[in-house]
Amino acid sequence: DAKTTQPNSMESNEEEPVHLPCNHSTISGTDYIHWYRQLPSQGPEYVIHGLTSNVNNRMASLAIAEDRKSSTLILHRATLRDAAVYYCILRDVYQGAQKLVFGQGTRLTINP
Amino acid sequence: EAQVTQNPRYLITVTGKKLTVTCSQNMNHEYMSWYRQDPGLGLRQIYYSMNVEVTDKGDVPEGYKVSRKEKRNFPLILESPSPNQTSLYFCASRNGQGIFNEQFFGPGTRLTVL
């Protein structure tokens, strides 16, 4: 399975943009990039996913490098509620049906 | 409100005393799954179910059983719990129509086996 690498932790300030990086240099052509986050004392929740093009939704934006070896989750205006562990996950379109494989993720701290 | 519920949220038990953690979803999802989360090991899948009466092992199924008799429920059974099953457990579900549909997770069950 293709692996992802994320920084262990990041810190930002409230109301500022946050860019969370993810490296996936061994990504295959059939791997989708998914992001989930886990707020303190809660289960993970879906954030966004994409294949090649940049994606936007109400929670965040996903910027995918042209060679797809890296991606960045962008929180446009962080709030205290965005403090969480963020997971970057690759899902193969043919083999990814059964589960999500979570790495260690990035622990994001938001300062007031 | 669309949600996945788990009960109990917290449980302390002793070795060998059978227990069941219930999971229920109200979204009519075909796919349901159980994960455990441990420090340094992240979330690992225990069992999953693609639909009623269809279950399969995940990465760490030893010591666990599941059943899927109804679409909405997916209980996790520990027939003889041991201390190494002390963990935080999450149930999840998603619409089975697309593998990329988001998974919805329950709030978690913190289990301690003494």
Side-chain angles (χ1 to χ4, degrees), chain B residues 6-108:
Chain B
Q6 296 178 225
N7 282 293
R9 295 289 313 280
Y10 303 91
L11 178 61
I12 300 175
T13 189
V14 295
T15 299
K17 186 176 180 181
K18 180 179 178 179
L19 68 92
T20 299
V21 183
T22 65
C23 172
S24 183
Q25 49 91 7
N26 62 2
M27 296 167 278
N28 201 37
H29 285 168
E30 289 85 359
Y31 176 94
M32 297 186 73
S33 180
W34 276 102
Y35 293 82
R36 60 178 288 175
Q37 185 172 32
D38 302 289
L41 296 175
L43 282 124
R44 294 175 293 167
Q45 191 185 53
I46 304 170
Y47 268 95
Y48 66 94
S49 169
M50 298 296 286
N51 214 325
V52 175
E53 301 291 2
V54 180
T55 63
D56 210 344
K57 297 176 180 178
D59 293 324
V60 288
E62 294 78 21
Y64 304 94
K65 285 176 59 176
V66 292
S67 69
R68 189 88 183 275
K69 295 184 175 10
E70 306 166 283
K71 200 172 188 179
R72 65 183 294 125
N73 297 323
F74 190 43
L76 180 69
I77 304 156
L78 285 72
E79 297 243 341
S80 183
S82 63
N84 64 13
Q85 293 178 298
T86 292
S87 187
L88 180 58
Y89 291 87
F90 290 101
C91 181
S93 74
R94 67 165 165 77
N95 187 331
Q97 294 303 311
I99 67 168
F100 303 110
N101 291 348
E102 63 180 285
Q103 285 204 37
F104 293 83
F105 284 80

Side-chain angles (χ1 to χ4, degrees), chain A residues 30 32 34 36 38 41-46 49 87 91-104, chain B residues 9 31 33 35 37 40-43 45 48 50 58-59 88 90 94 99-108:
Chain A
T30 53
Y32 277 71
H34 287 245
Y36 278 72
Q38 187 172 16
S41 302
Q42 294 189 27
E45 64 176 352
Y46 168 83
H49 78 270
Y87 298 98
R91 297 191 72 188
D92 185 283
V93 67
Y94 297 115
Q95 299 177 1
Q98 317 311 348
K99 64 184 175 184
L100 296 173
V101 180
F102 289 82
Q104 297 305 307
Chain B
R9 295 289 313 280
Y31 176 94
S33 180
Y35 293 82
Q37 185 172 32
L41 296 175
L43 282 124
Q45 191 185 53
Y48 66 94
M50 298 296 286
D59 293 324
L88 180 58
F90 290 101
R94 67 165 165 77
I99 67 168
F100 303 110
N101 291 348
E102 63 180 285
Q103 285 204 37
F104 293 83
F105 284 80

Side-chain angles (χ1 to χ4, degrees), chain A residues 16-107:
Chain A
E16 290 184 357
V18 180
H19 291 235
L20 295 159
C22 180
N23 286 323
H24 28 80
S25 57
T26 60
I27 192 171
S28 75
T30 53
D31 281 331
Y32 277 71
I33 303 159
H34 287 245
W35 284 82
Y36 278 72
R37 72 179 185 181
Q38 187 172 16
L39 302 173
S41 302
Q42 294 189 27
E45 64 176 352
Y46 168 83
V47 178
I48 201 167
H49 78 270
L51 180 63
T52 56
S53 303
N54 295 344
V55 184
N56 300 297
N57 66 19
R58 63 175 180 80
M59 288 181 70
S61 295
L62 177 59
I64 301 173
E66 200 168 328
D67 63 5
R68 300 208 327 125
K69 294 185 185 300
S70 66
S71 60
T72 302
L73 180 70
I74 303 166
L75 307 179
H76 294 284
R77 201 158 172 248
T79 69
L80 295 177
R81 194 190 174 278
D82 291 320
V85 178
Y86 287 78
Y87 298 98
C88 172
I89 300 166
L90 300 183
R91 297 191 72 188
D92 185 283
V93 67
Y94 297 115
Q95 299 177 1
Q98 317 311 348
K99 64 184 175 184
L100 296 173
V101 180
F102 289 82
Q104 297 305 307
T106 297
R107 182 173 298 277

